[in-house]
Amino acid sequence: MSKKPFSARAKEFGGIMKKMLHHILFHNGPAKLIALLISVVLWAGLISQDSSLTRDRTWQNVNISVNGAETLRRNGFIVVSDLDEMLSNVSVTAAVPQKQYETADTSVYNLRVDLSRINGTGIQELKIQSTASNTYGKVTNTVPSVLNVDVEEYIVRQRIPVSVSVTGDYQNGWYKDWYIPSPSVDPALVSINGPRSLAQTISRAKVFLDPETLDWSEETIWTTGEIVLFDRSGEAVESPLLGITTESLAIDTVLIEVSPLPTKSFQISEQVDFQGEVREGYKIASVKYSPETIRVAAKREALEQLDGLPLDPTTVNLQNLEEGTSVFNIKVQKPSEDAILSNDTVIVTVEVEKAEE
């Protein structure tokens, strides 16, 4: 194999091609034309084998990896700029050897930004870095080449309470034919982490429970709810920069425990008895009950034995009532220790008027 330098070999081939072209032009021989084509091929092959000859190749919308986010947070900082948006339209130019021009790909250059180099808050400068390849050359230019990112202090706020909000046709625990005692959550306290400007506004976390999604039974029901963060004014706060953890584990849901009880309804008008008569010459114009219905929640076996409401007093005395309004308060007793009443007091209003002569 020839040990001549490339410049000498190029000069030698140039001379050969010049002589062949002269013969072809003046002697017009087909065989010499073929020889010229062979020389061109050999010349191209020689060029392609020379690693010192490169061509610029440019790629658009290149994927740039982001490294060092965990290290940055451990150092007490976090980038609040939208890096995905800033890196969504990056072009890269590399000097690629002729031989590898068609097969070169941006992945070989390890294009990246390193967040661990940041050591302060405010606007910080990040360079897009790359690694040269022995086979595929090196990056000569990126657009943009530098990113100006906004950096804030990274903080962790602990013991943020988590509560459950039941949605739908639900009022103070009563839902259709069921009563739902206050659901419990696990964990009941979480930690919030993120940029100070966001994390310090969070006052509580909530999960929402839709009763329509539950498989109702008298047994304990377990389900999950997605955590929603709220600020002090009651507005929901959503940001990919905020994290939720418990015991250093990242979470986005909590476990909800529900222990529903079946219910039974009683019409108060069917439960209240009256005794005595209004004064002669008068009559009862109307009787009103507030509330008109009492619901009792208890274990099913207790409800099955409950035929009526235990009231105190058990009767309303109408004896000698005259024209006007009379109000009677009746206490509703629990039929069992663990029973729950929708109301524990019933107000009976009796209107008396003169009878027609």
Side-chain angles (χ1 to χ4, degrees):
M1 186 174 179
S2 175
K3 301 297 183 179
K4 296 180 180 180
F6 175 75
S7 57
R9 285 181 284 159
K11 184 176 181 180
E12 183 178 324
F13 267 95
I16 294 173
M17 292 180 65
K18 184 177 180 180
K19 291 180 180 179
M20 293 183 65
L21 181 61
H22 176 81
H23 284 290
I24 289 171
L25 291 175
F26 292 97
H27 298 281
N28 196 22
K32 294 178 180 178
L33 179 59
I34 293 174
L36 176 61
L37 293 175
I38 293 174
S39 299
V40 171
V41 171
L42 291 174
W43 173 257
L46 178 63
I47 293 177
S48 66
Q49 294 299 323
D50 194 328
S51 60
S52 65
L53 291 179
T54 60
R55 290 173 58 190
D56 284 348
R57 182 170 178 179
T58 300
W59 293 269
Q60 303 292 336
N61 300 320
V62 177
N63 182 44
I64 309 294
S65 63
V66 179
N67 303 331
E70 285 297 327
T71 301
L72 182 65
R73 285 193 287 268
R74 285 196 298 269
N75 292 339
F77 304 106
I78 185 172
V79 174
V80 296
S81 300
D82 189 346
L83 282 175
D84 290 339
E85 176 65 24
M86 299 177 78
L87 295 172
S88 63
N89 188 25
V90 176
S91 65
V92 173
T93 300
V96 183
Q98 290 278 6
K99 184 179 180 180
Q100 309 297 340
Y101 186 83
E102 295 299 331
T103 60
D105 184 81
T106 56
S107 61
V108 302
Y109 304 112
N110 187 24
L111 294 157
R112 64 200 183 276
V113 291
D114 187 1
L115 304 184
S116 65
R117 296 174 177 269
I118 295 174
N119 57 10
T121 58
I123 302 300
Q124 302 291 322
E125 187 178 277
L126 279 179
K127 292 184 178 180
I128 297 180
Q129 299 175 302
S130 63
T131 301
S133 169
N134 292 332
T135 304
Y136 294 96
K138 64 179 181 179
V139 172
T140 58
N141 187 42
T142 61
V143 180
S145 60
V146 173
L147 306 176
N148 292 315
V149 297
D150 191 8
V151 180
E152 283 192 25
E153 182 184 358
Y154 176 81
I155 67 171
V156 178
R157 297 188 59 226
Q158 299 180 340
R159 301 183 64 79
I160 302 296
V162 183
S163 61
V164 182
S165 179
V166 184
T167 62
D169 185 17
Y170 174 87
Q171 293 181 346
N172 299 324
W174 302 92
Y175 176 76
K176 296 183 179 179
D177 295 330
W178 295 89
Y179 177 78
I180 308 175
S182 296
S184 60
V185 295
D186 183 25
L189 297 172
V190 296
S191 297
I192 307 299
N193 56 72
R196 176 176 290 277
S197 62
L198 280 177
Q200 67 182 359
T201 67
I202 304 302
S203 63
R204 57 196 172 97
K206 292 178 68 174
V207 292
F208 293 89
L209 175 64
D210 183 0
E212 292 288 346
T213 64
L214 299 180
D215 185 13
W216 290 95
S217 70
E218 201 171 334
E219 304 298 326
T220 299
I221 301 173
W222 298 91
T223 186
T224 59
E226 184 175 353
I227 302 172
V228 181
L229 302 177
F230 288 85
D231 61 20
R232 294 178 181 85
S233 63
E235 295 293 327
V237 179
E238 296 184 22
S239 174
L241 299 175
L242 288 173
I244 306 171
T245 61
T246 176
E247 297 180 354
S248 301
L249 296 176
I251 61 171
D252 56 12
T253 61
V254 294
L255 194 62
I256 305 174
E257 179 182 356
V258 183
S259 299
L261 290 171
T263 64
K264 193 171 185 177
S265 297
F266 295 90
Q267 289 293 325
I268 297 302
S269 61
E270 299 174 359
Q271 302 297 309
V272 176
D273 292 327
F274 296 91
Q275 67 178 14
E277 299 290 339
V278 298
R279 187 178 295 275
E280 186 177 353
Y282 295 89
K283 67 176 183 179
I284 297 175
S286 66
V287 178
K288 297 179 181 179
Y289 305 93
S290 178
E292 296 181 347
T293 303
I294 293 288
R295 287 197 286 179
V296 181
K299 295 292 185 181
R300 194 170 299 279
E301 55 268 23
L303 292 180
E304 290 174 350
Q305 299 175 9
L306 187 61
D307 296 326
L309 287 176
L311 303 178
D312 182 24
T314 58
T315 61
V316 172
N317 190 0
L318 303 177
Q319 190 67 34
N320 294 325
L321 290 184
E322 297 181 347
E323 183 177 10
T325 300
S326 298
V327 177
F328 302 88
N329 290 329
I330 300 177
K331 295 293 293 182
V332 183
Q333 305 294 331
K334 286 186 176 183
S336 61
E337 186 176 346
D338 60 349
I340 299 170
L341 301 173
S342 59
N343 291 86
D344 61 2
T345 301
V346 174
I347 299 176
V348 181
T349 304
V350 180
E351 292 283 347
V352 177
E353 64 183 12
K354 286 185 177 182
E356 296 179 0
E357 296 182 359

